[in-house]
Amino acid sequence: MNTLAHAAPSLWRIQALEAWFEFLRVLRTPAFAIPSLAFPVVFYVLFAILLPGQWGDFQKSAYLLATYGAFGVIGPALFGFGVGLAIEREKGWLELKRVSPMPTFAYFLAKIFMSLVFGLAVVCLLSIAAIGFGGVRVDPLVWLKLVAVLLLGTAPFCALGLLIGTLVKGQAAVAIVNLVYLPMSVLSGLWMPLFAFPVLVQKLAVVWPAWHLAQMALGVIGQLQGVNYGLHAAVLAGMTVALLALAAFRMRRL
């Protein structure tokens, strides 16, 4: 009994320390931290606030708050897992962690924590710009629901990043993640609405997990009506499970 009582605090301490050190590691990597925080906000200010124009029945500043919010939370999830794991594999840190007494789940939970913290920071910065300068008016409960949807929706992108991290090494992971992240964001309507694209691109958007996340975010903020949240959530959950299964298979072969 005493052993179990002492083990629980020890596990919590290990997890807390691993999460904190992972956060510090990323924060001290300007090539990751600055673009992750700045790019979504800069793009939002440019397209939603500085460039004039009306989008029919949509409120442009509110619409882009949802879509750039999705864009902003996806980045840390993909880069944190994909690039972080690839570099740690290449430098041998992953093997060191494997032979250490630290539980395996602490390593992955720390990366999830890091992606959620950076994702939350991006959404907060976007919200400040949208409410302070974009004329967006959103109920606090609706905003909290938007944050919850965006952060929970990072699960498939964490899994995708994990899979990429098991497939490539080092700096190659940066290029691969960008080759996935940027085209997926554009083709999912995160930078500009899909009605600006050809019909074929609009129809093919359903294959991208980012599109499903954006649909839910747009529904929450009131820019889309009749959103089937259950269907989109089920698609994201299914993609998460499939990608995790592939990543687990690759991890066993490393």
Side-chain angles (χ1 to χ4, degrees), residues 22-208:
E22 176 68 15
F23 176 73
L24 288 180
R25 181 188 68 81
V26 173
L27 197 62
R28 292 169 179 171
T29 309
F32 172 86
I34 294 176
S36 295
L37 294 173
F39 282 1
V41 179
V42 170
F43 290 152
Y44 178 83
V45 170
L46 175 62
F47 291 111
I49 299 175
L50 297 181
L51 292 181
Q54 299 296 323
W55 287 0
D57 296 331
F58 299 117
Q59 182 188 359
K60 184 172 69 169
S61 53
Y63 188 102
L64 290 177
L65 172 60
T67 58
Y68 275 112
F71 174 70
V73 300
I74 290 172
L78 279 176
F79 281 95
F81 272 91
V83 178
L85 177 61
I87 291 176
E88 286 161 11
R89 282 179 52 223
E90 186 175 49
K91 293 186 175 181
W93 296 344
L94 186 60
E95 290 300 320
L96 180 63
K97 288 179 180 290
R98 278 178 165 175
V99 299
S100 73
M102 182 186 73
T104 303
F105 67 81
Y107 173 78
F108 296 107
L109 288 179
K111 291 192 177 298
I112 293 173
F113 168 80
M114 179 279 301
S115 67
L116 292 178
V117 169
F118 270 83
L120 177 60
V122 171
V123 176
C124 289
L125 291 173
L126 286 170
S127 300
I128 291 171
I131 296 170
F133 305 98
V136 175
R137 297 293 177 264
V138 58
D139 184 89
L141 291 178
V142 172
W143 184 81
L144 289 174
K145 185 177 179 181
L146 174 65
V147 171
V149 166
L150 290 174
L151 294 185
L152 291 173
T154 60
F157 306 101
C158 289
L160 177 58
L162 181 62
L163 177 60
I164 293 172
T166 64
L167 292 172
V168 298
K169 294 182 179 179
Q171 293 304 312
V174 177
I176 298 299
V177 168
N178 276 315
L179 284 174
V180 173
Y181 179 36
L182 298 180
M184 176 178 64
S185 298
V186 173
L187 297 176
S188 298
L190 301 190
W191 286 17
M192 60 188 71
L194 281 173
F195 58 71
F197 289 89
V199 174
L200 179 61
V201 174
Q202 297 179 39
K203 291 182 177 180
L204 291 177
V206 297
V207 307
W208 301 106

Side-chain angles (χ1 to χ4, degrees), residues 218-242:
L218 288 167
V220 168
I221 208 167
Q223 294 300 299
L224 285 183
Q225 303 301 319
V227 174
N228 190 335
Y229 295 99
L231 176 61
H232 293 302
V235 171
L236 291 176
M239 289 181 174
T240 302
V241 171

